[in-house]
């Protein structure tokens, strides 16, 4: 059974969808750990409610191979999913988990990626640019923000009247429909 860690900084709706997808049916993998950098992140309650251990790390602990790596090893983690995780992943972790860390970004990369582009900021930029569609991108994590190899994209049409909050709702729906299945396919190919 392959063991997944989810790293998340916020509300955790994606984390919950992924946990529900893997942990309550036989899919050859399970979410064994949730890691957050914020003590007030909604994802922590969701993990606890769903019976998944959760750990909060300070920036220092997160960036220290002496802390993070033994922790991941202790939980037997084979694969890492970033689901709304807002810290930069250290280079040594990318090397240690080569092609085993994926991120979801709430736009059709390479559009609307890069530093500062997360959550509602992305949707505001999409609306300001009068895009007629947006979407989600699942990609491998590399040393640069949002620049790793793209694995999967899905798109959704936008109306001229859509607000950033409308776009956010559409994106969350798209993520719920596709992200857990995309992870399952990636894992099946390991
Ligand atoms: C998701 O829409 C995810 O794509 C985005 O943050 C949201 C987290 O929502 N990620 C980024 O913007 C990364 N640059 P959630 O906490 O409810 O899963």
């Amino acid at each position: 059974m392959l063991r997944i860690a989810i790293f998340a900084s916020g509300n955790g709706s994606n984390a919950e969808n992924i946990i529900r997808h893997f942990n309550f049916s036989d899919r050859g993998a399970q979410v064994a750990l949730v890691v957050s950098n914020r003590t007030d992140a909604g994802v922590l309650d969701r993990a606890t409610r769903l019976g998944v251990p959760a750990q909060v790390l300070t920036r220092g602990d997160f960036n220290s191979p002496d802390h993070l790596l033994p922790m991941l090893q202790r939980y037997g983690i084979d694969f890492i999913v970033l689901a709304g995780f807002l810290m930069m992943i250290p280079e040594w972790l990318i090397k240690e988990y080569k092609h085993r860390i994926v991120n979801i970004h709430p736009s059709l990369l390479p559009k609307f990626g890069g530093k500062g582009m997360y959550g509602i900021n992305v949707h505001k930029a999409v609306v300001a640019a009068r895009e007629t569609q947006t979407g989600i991108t699942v990609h491998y994590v590399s040393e640069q923000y949002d620049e790793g190899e793209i694995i999967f994209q899905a798109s959704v049409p936008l109306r001229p009247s859509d607000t950033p909050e409308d776009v956010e709702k559409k994106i969350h729906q798209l993520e719920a429909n596709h992200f857990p299945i995309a992870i399952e396919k990636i894992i099946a190919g390991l």
Side-chain angles (χ1 to χ4, degrees):
M1 183 75 86
L2 191 135
R3 293 168 70 82
I4 302 169
I6 299 176
F7 291 9
S9 303
N11 178 30
S13 67
N14 278 284
E16 174 152 358
N17 292 336
I18 297 162
I19 294 168
R20 288 192 183 281
H21 183 82
F22 285 99
N23 289 26
F24 301 103
S25 50
D26 184 13
R27 297 184 190 271
Q30 72 176 122
V31 180
L33 177 65
V34 165
V35 175
S36 186
N37 57 320
R38 299 189 55 138
T39 48
D40 60 349
V43 69
L44 298 171
D45 288 342
R46 294 187 193 252
T48 307
R49 216 173 349 97
L50 294 163
V52 176
Q55 297 276 351
V56 180
L57 297 188
T58 62
R59 183 174 291 270
D61 285 346
F62 185 76
N63 285 310
S64 150
D66 296 339
H67 187 94
L68 185 54
L69 269 187
M71 194 185 88
L72 294 174
Q73 280 157 5
R74 207 161 58 240
Y75 284 95
I77 300 304
D78 308 295
F79 193 83
I80 298 171
V81 174
L82 311 185
F85 189 65
L86 302 183
M87 277 178 63
M88 189 88 176
I89 301 300
E91 231 176 281
W92 52 263
L93 188 61
I94 296 171
K95 290 210 170 74
E96 190 72 29
Y97 280 85
K98 186 97 191 129
H99 278 99
R100 284 170 179 255
I101 310 180
V102 297
N103 178 44
I104 188 154
H105 186 80
S107 76
L108 295 169
L109 289 175
K111 282 184 158 185
F112 306 105
K115 203 164 163 44
M117 282 302 220
Y118 56 85
I120 197 78
N121 293 348
V122 177
H123 311 316
K124 282 181 182 162
V126 165
V127 168
R130 299 179 196 280
E131 295 289 308
T132 55
Q133 62 164 8
T134 188
I136 57 172
T137 302
V138 180
H139 64 93
Y140 289 112
V141 172
S142 70
E143 285 80 355
Q144 308 303 320
Y145 268 117
D146 303 329
E147 284 183 15
E149 184 193 336
I150 291 175
I151 307 164
F152 172 86
Q153 291 186 307
S155 62
V156 61
L158 296 177
R159 293 173 198 276
S161 61
D162 278 340
T163 63
E165 289 71 24
D166 296 329
V167 178
E168 185 171 50
K169 276 192 203 116
K170 289 183 176 181
I171 289 295
H172 273 132
Q173 191 55 55
L174 213 55
E175 290 177 336
N177 293 346
H178 295 288
F179 194 25
I181 293 167
I183 295 166
E184 190 177 343
K185 286 191 181 146
I186 296 163
I187 284 171
L190 283 179

